[in-house]
Amino acid sequence: MSIGIGAIHCLLPQDRVSVTDLPEFAGQQDVEPGSADISGVRTVSVSTDDSACDLAVRACRELLAAHPGEPDLMIQIASRPAEALPGSDAHRIHNRVGLTSAFPFTVGGLGCAGASVAAALARDLLLADPARHSVLLAYGSRPADGDRVRYPVAVVGDGAFAMTIARGGRPVLKAHRMQADGIFNDLYRVDHKRAPGQEWSEENALKGGYFELATQSRTRMSALVDETLSDAGLTKDDIAATLMPNVTASAYQFYEQALGLPIHPVCGKHLAEVGHLGPIDVILNLHRLPAEGDLSSADHVLVLSNARYATWAVTLWEV
């Protein structure tokens, strides 16, 4: 039996804040000139009280209320930062959602590629054990510090998603490939040991790292796309839509030129409305793509995921 998406629920706070109204653009902090214009973001979704863990719990509860049933496993994609040190957000979500038999664990250190890797891992775990039927994925997005502008790559919003990978689900996850390079492990860092939470601030720890990462990403992603399509016996001409994280409008142009594949406009639509939501981006884009009216049954969708930790993942889905 094929393995694919059982259900998706994306939780986006209703409050929207204009990018130019964020404190970073109101003179409280220094931001590179023009960064508000080049990002492609108009507003970001903002949750004033909920933590990333709270948002993930809500997303799971609402998904399981609409689609009852206990999953066999629960994979939490690690948030930035963890709710408690030491502690287990996976177990916290498991408890608050009311799961009992599902085994919880975390996939972390993968940044924005976490959701694609978790989906691929869930598929492989179901393939490995015929007794398992579904895996619940969960993630909540909040910035690690108070800053939402991560120049030059993103304006961060809040949100969460819950998704099941299940036997007989659709779209079907047909193939996947992934790679990583540990050299960029601390491209950005928050020195949480030397300062209390209210003083946390992300710092660029590897000057010039973004240029080198972009150069590597062009090569790595191109190879992964070719390998994934080859695994499925397809070519680029067989792809009905290509999706990627909502980072900046210029990133879409970069990958279109590098890969020869147009990035679907639904990505830019969500980028403008809610900003960058980390691993949620590709799930939100995949979930809402059918509503754009561009797909037919058995069409193939290619999802590209990458992260500043130099993680690259490609997943291929059949509608």
Side-chain angles (χ1 to χ4, degrees), residues 37-59:
D37 298 327
I38 67 172
S39 69
V41 184
R42 294 196 305 270
T43 59
V44 292
S45 57
V46 174
S47 177
T48 55
D49 300 319
D50 294 324
S51 68
C53 193
D54 293 332
L55 293 170
V57 168
R58 284 179 54 197

Side-chain angles (χ1 to χ4, degrees), residues 19-20 24-25 29-41 149-155 247-249:
V19 170
T20 54
E24 292 91 328
F25 290 105
Q29 299 184 34
D30 293 330
V31 174
E32 294 286 342
S35 57
D37 298 327
I38 67 172
S39 69
V41 184
V149 179
R150 191 182 299 136
Y151 188 84
V153 294
V155 183
V247 184
T248 63

Side-chain angles (χ1 to χ4, degrees), residues 46-117:
V46 174
S47 177
T48 55
D49 300 319
D50 294 324
S51 68
C53 193
D54 293 332
L55 293 170
V57 168
R58 284 179 54 197
C60 289
R61 286 175 175 171
E62 292 171 11
L63 176 80
L64 295 176
H67 305 275
E70 179 94 4
D72 297 285
L73 304 165
M74 191 203 85
I75 303 177
Q76 182 241 354
I77 295 97
S79 299
R80 312 180 296 260
E83 189 83 356
L85 298 173
S88 170
D89 284 352
H91 286 73
R92 182 172 289 104
I93 294 169
H94 181 276
N95 176 63
R96 290 178 58 190
V97 172
L99 299 176
T100 55
S101 59
F103 182 79
F105 63 97
T106 297
V107 169
L110 302 175
C112 303
S116 290
V117 173

Side-chain angles (χ1 to χ4, degrees), residues 148-206:
R148 294 189 179 277
V149 179
R150 191 182 299 136
Y151 188 84
V153 294
V155 183
V156 180
D158 300 336
F161 86 89
M163 177 174 76
T164 53
I165 299 295
R167 298 188 186 279
R170 297 196 77 90
V172 174
L173 180 47
K174 294 195 66 174
H176 67 82
R177 289 275 185 151
M178 59 191 76
Q179 286 186 0
D181 188 338
I183 192 174
F184 296 101
N185 65 86
D186 61 351
L187 180 59
Y188 264 80
R189 65 173 63 164
V190 175
D191 193 348
H192 67 280
K193 293 183 178 180
R194 295 178 56 186
Q198 64 270 24
E199 297 179 13
W200 284 2
S201 178
E202 287 195 347
E203 299 177 356
N204 190 335
L206 187 60

